[in-house]
Structures are given as C-alpha cells and as structure tokens.
C-alpha cells in the first residue's frame, strides 16, 4: 500500500511538472535579456536575470492603462455576475412561479449555442442602445449567463425547504431569508462562480475587440495581441506581457482556492 502510494504521488508530480513546464518557462523567459530566448537550444533559466522587460513594457507602452481597464471590467463583470446569477439561480431552485421549470429548460437549450453566434445580434442591440465603444457594451454579456444560473440553481437545490419555511413562519421577509440564510449557504459556489466570471471576462478577446474601437479603452488581451505584431521578434518582452496577464488570475485563484475546491466537491457529491 505504501509503495503504491509513493508511485502514485510520483506519477502525479511528473504530470504536474509537464503541465506547468510551459508556464514556468514563460516566467523564466520574461527575466532574460533581449535575444537570449532565441538561441538554440533555448536556455531554461536566464543567464543574467533582469526586470528590464517589465520596465520597458510599462514605460514604453500603455500597458498600465490596459491593465487597469481589464481589472476594472473583470471586477465589474464578476460583481454583476454574482448579483444576477445568484438571484436567478435561487429563484429557479426555491421560489415557485408559473412556468418556472419550462423557462429553465428553455434556458438550458442556450448552452449548446456557441457564444460567437450571438455576437452579431448582441452588437446590433448594443448599437441601438448607443453603448458601442464603451465599457457598458463590454459588460452586457456578463450581466447574466445560463451557465452561472445553472451552477447556482443546482447548488441551491440542496438548501432544505424546511429551513426556509421556518424562517417565513418566524416573519422573515424574502430579502432577509436571501441575505441571512441563502447567501451564507452558497458561499462555496459563490467563490467558484466568481473565479469563472473573473477568468472569463479577463481572458475575453473577441467581444472587446468587436465592441471597442478606441485604443485607450482596449483590454489587456487585445492590447497584447496588437503589441505582438509590433514586437514579433521580442520574445522576452511578449513573455513579460503574458506574465502580467496571468498574474491577477493566479492570485485570485490562490485567494479563493479553498472555497473553489469546496464548491466543486460539494457539487460532485450533491449532484
């Protein structure tokens, strides 16, 4: 048993090393001197580590502005997603209203439709509302998502109906029940949804590219793609930009990993 456990752990470490090797090399290249990563064979570690690539990235480009744009949009998108998806998911799980199950099944059919299909009609709606080339237009798809509603609804089904009915008998309003009972119970799934929402907004490339035409409002993925065309040979600089793009998501996951894993485990047990 002990030997099998050691072999299993060793195999997991090897798989983890292969999975993280590209990320580790990306970080290593970001600290190399210009042209060092282009040599053959490419070095694994920088001969003379330097932060010059990061300095150049923020000093000679508007990377700080793009970073601030992405952080602002991802934060607002996460807050909006948590607000509307949680309320809708709880309503579909525990509130009774006419056509609830039929409407939920209709929403589930939208999961099989690729998001790119809806971008043209969504752009036309944003154009009619006058929010093209604005942050409001970027945030429209984040207001509510079928996946977010489904995720919260499936978890909210595990809340005992007796607990909610007891609170109603004691005179608690629906708002009080939602704040005092439902939200604390949904804490693990809230962290999971927040992680998905932030990551989806942060890494979104196509929709900001379509809806924004002002270079000052660009998000980090779009700006990094434009920068790569101007500095196609500057591998070290591009890797530094990739590290800047990856860092906020990594920090968010590390901060919420305990709740994130708890949410996934609870979902797998409760179905």
């Amino acid at each position: 048993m002990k030997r099998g456990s050691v072999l299993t752990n060793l195999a997991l470490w090897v798989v983890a090393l292969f999975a993280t090797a590209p990320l580790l090399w990306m970080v290593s290249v970001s600290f190399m001197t210009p042209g060092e990563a282009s040599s053959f064979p490419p070095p694994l570690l920088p001969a003379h580590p330097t932060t010059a690539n990061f300095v150049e990235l923020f000093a000679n480009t508007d990377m700080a502005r793009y970073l601030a744009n992405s952080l602002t949009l991802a934060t607002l998108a996460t807050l909006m997603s948590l607000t509307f998806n949680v309320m809708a998911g709880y309503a579909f799980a525990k509130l009774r209203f006419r056509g609830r199950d039929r409407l939920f099944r209709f929403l589930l059919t939208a999961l099989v439709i690729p998001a790119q299909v809806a971008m043209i009609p969504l752009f036309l709606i944003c154009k009619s509302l006058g929010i093209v080339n604005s942050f409001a237009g970027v945030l429209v798809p984040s207001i509510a998502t079928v996946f977010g509603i489904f995720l919260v609804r499936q978890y909210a089904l595990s809340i005992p109906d007796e607990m909610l009915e007891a609170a109603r008998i004691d005179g608690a309003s629906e708002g009080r029940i939602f704040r005092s009972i439902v939200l604390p119970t949904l804490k693990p799934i809230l962290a999971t949804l927040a992680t998905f929402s932030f990551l989806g907004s942060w890494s979104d490339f196509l929709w900001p590219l379509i809806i924004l035409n002002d270079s000052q409002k660009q998000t980090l993925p779009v700006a990094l793609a434009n920068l790569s065309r101007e500095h196609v040979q500057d591998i070290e600089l591009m890797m530094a930009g990739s590290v800047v793009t990856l860092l906020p998501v990594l920090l968010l996951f590390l901060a919420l990993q305990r709740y994130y894993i708890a949410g996934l485990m609870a979902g797998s047990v409760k179905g």
Side-chain angles (χ1 to χ4, degrees), residues 52-75:
N53 297 313
F54 294 94
V55 173
E56 182 180 355
L57 193 66
F58 285 94
N60 299 330
T61 67
D62 287 334
M63 191 58 61
R65 180 190 298 274
Y66 305 141
L67 179 62
N69 291 344
S70 289
L71 280 174
T72 301
L73 289 171
T75 302

Side-chain angles (χ1 to χ4, degrees), residues 56 75 77 80 114 116 130 140 150 185 207 234 239 256:
E56 182 180 355
T75 302
M80 293 171 60
Q116 294 78 4
V140 164
F150 173 78
T185 306
W207 179 244
D234 298 334
M239 291 300 180
L256 300 178

Side-chain angles (χ1 to χ4, degrees), residues 67 70-71 74 194-204 220-221 242-257:
L67 179 62
S70 289
L71 280 174
T195 305
F196 281 139
S197 300
F198 189 93
L199 179 59
S201 177
W202 179 267
S203 59
D204 191 12
L220 198 56
S242 300
V243 170
V244 172
T245 304
L246 176 66
L247 190 59
V249 178
L250 181 61
L251 293 177
L252 176 68
F253 178 78
L254 292 177
L256 300 178
Q257 63 175 334

Side-chain angles (χ1 to χ4, degrees), residues 131-204:
I131 56 176
V132 173
N133 194 34
S134 68
F135 287 164
V138 179
L139 292 172
V140 164
S142 304
I143 294 177
T145 61
V146 178
F147 174 76
I149 294 173
F150 173 78
L151 190 68
V152 175
R153 187 252 187 190
Q154 295 304 106
Y155 193 90
L157 287 174
S158 64
I159 301 176
D161 292 330
E162 295 79 7
M163 184 168 58
L164 302 179
E165 291 299 330
R168 294 188 180 101
I169 293 174
D170 290 340
S173 64
E174 291 297 332
R176 178 67 182 276
I177 293 173
F178 184 75
R179 292 191 305 271
S180 302
I181 298 177
V182 176
L183 287 182
T185 306
L186 295 179
K187 185 182 294 185
I189 210 64
L190 292 181
T192 304
L193 180 60
T195 305
F196 281 139
S197 300
F198 189 93
L199 179 59
S201 177
W202 179 267
S203 59
D204 191 12

